[in-house]
Amino acid sequence: MIHKIVNKKGKEKIVMLTCYDYLTAKILSETNIDLILVGDSLGTVIKGEKTTLSVTVEEVIYHTRIVRKGAPDAIIVADMPFLSYGTSVEESVKNAGRLMKEGGANAVKLEGGKELAHFVGAMTNVGIPVMGHIGLKPQSINLYGYKIAGKTEDEIKSLIEDAKALENAGVFSIVIEGTTEEAAKIITENVKIPTIGIGAGKYTDGQVLVITDMLGMDKDVNYKHNKRYTNLYDIIKNAVGSYTDEVKKGLFPSEDNIFHK
Ligand code: KIV
């Protein structure tokens, strides 16, 4: 299954979107996207928190399970929450395994580079497909802030080292978030596995967006890396407005919506 993604490198662009619920997953399952990510972005766009740090393994399992119901045949990657990995190998493998066994994910994603190679190796050794995530790492906000990476030659060198260390440890793909296009291009050229970019320019092997961002659900945010493909905020608000008007005016329910004996 995962090899299908790896084989796309250099042949066709890979498309990934985040998803957190059954009905959206059902829609995604009827599209041509390649991967669904149950991202820990659920901390911000579902739970309304300022960061992703509070997300728990239980929450990712819950959302992965309901996404799996809507998209039974999709390749689903589940995000490993902050501190659910990288503390001890045993804990990391156990939590990754839970996302697959209890959530129904096909693979897990974790944020970090060379420092995590050891943990990635332990996971892939027991059959857990792992996706890496380098560049801007939202789980490390308290250390680095939301800073675009890969602006200097030193930073680019370090990112390439991260990508290669992850590749050698066995990841099947790497998300590159929030880097200069130049950095993402060089990283992509230096690894044999596909890179999937968000805010990393056009040269990565694929792209990922947070679904609520690309659907325009939050009128208060519009990130430079994002494109709003529709404006669900206005669509939902207008629909609720029409419903409210019709109820107030006695126009809803109409004969079409009423049961008679
Ligand atoms: O949690 C998430 O949605 C992510 C994407 C931004 C790649 O990690």
Side-chain angles (χ1 to χ4, degrees), residues 9-259:
K9 184 163 178 120
K11 297 191 193 111
E12 73 177 271
K13 289 274 188 184
I14 297 163
V15 184
M16 180 159 85
L17 271 177
T18 67
C19 183
Y20 318 97
D21 68 284
Y22 166 76
L23 280 180
T24 312
K26 206 167 150 198
I27 298 172
L28 292 186
S29 74
E30 289 164 20
T31 69
N32 281 332
I33 69 165
D34 300 297
L35 290 161
I36 292 179
L37 171 66
V38 181
D40 67 348
S41 48
L42 73 87
T44 51
V45 301
I46 302 295
K47 291 171 64 181
E49 303 283 354
K50 287 211 158 36
T51 72
T52 58
L53 301 186
S54 71
V55 174
T56 63
V57 172
E58 277 66 30
E59 286 168 343
V60 178
I61 290 173
Y62 169 80
H63 285 278
T64 306
R65 203 183 292 140
I66 60 179
V67 166
R68 173 57 77 203
K69 276 197 190 145
D73 301 323
I75 305 180
I76 298 179
V77 181
D79 239 343
M80 296 200 70
F82 180 53
L83 292 186
S84 68
Y85 61 98
T87 44
S88 75
V89 166
E90 202 187 12
E91 196 64 11
S92 309
V93 173
K94 192 183 97 199
N95 285 327
R98 287 190 67 197
L99 299 183
M100 294 178 74
K101 288 170 78 166
E102 298 173 46
N106 301 100
V108 301
K109 174 168 85 57
L110 44 81
E111 294 180 14
K114 32 188 150 346
E115 71 286 359
L116 290 181
H118 178 55
F119 298 93
V120 171
M123 291 178 195
T124 52
N125 276 346
V126 293
I128 299 173
V130 183
M131 178 179 270
H133 182 151
I134 61 173
L136 192 159
K137 294 170 287 186
Q139 292 177 9
S140 303
I141 164 110
N142 287 306
L143 273 179
Y144 309 117
Y146 291 120
K147 183 175 155 276
I148 297 299
K151 290 202 169 168
T152 66
E153 289 309 313
D154 279 354
E155 275 178 30
I156 294 178
K157 189 168 159 269
S158 173
L159 285 167
I160 296 172
E161 283 167 12
D162 283 337
K164 287 194 158 179
L166 290 171
E167 178 178 35
N168 290 336
V171 300
F172 70 95
S173 170
I174 301 175
V175 165
I176 305 177
E177 176 167 3
T179 69
T180 59
E181 184 173 66
E182 294 78 5
K185 183 170 187 282
I186 300 175
I187 297 164
T188 301
E189 287 165 357
N190 271 276
V191 290
K192 293 192 184 69
I193 47 166
T195 58
I196 302 182
I198 174 163
K202 58 181 172 297
Y203 296 108
T204 48
D205 298 305
Q207 296 289 330
V208 55
L209 283 176
V210 170
I211 194 156
T212 48
D213 291 344
M214 58 85 74
L215 294 179
M217 286 192 77
D218 188 345
K219 73 169 175 36
D220 297 324
V221 293
N222 198 13
Y223 305 109
K224 181 172 167 67
H225 71 259
N226 183 54
K227 176 170 175 184
R228 283 185 177 156
Y229 283 84
T230 187
N231 195 334
L232 269 199
Y233 174 85
D234 284 341
I235 292 172
I236 294 172
K237 210 171 161 202
N238 290 339
V240 173
S242 304
Y243 165 65
T244 307
D245 280 353
E246 291 196 3
V247 172
K248 299 263 184 215
K249 290 179 184 150
L251 297 172
F252 179 84
S254 69
E255 263 317 298
D256 283 350
N257 316 111
I258 295 171
F259 302 100

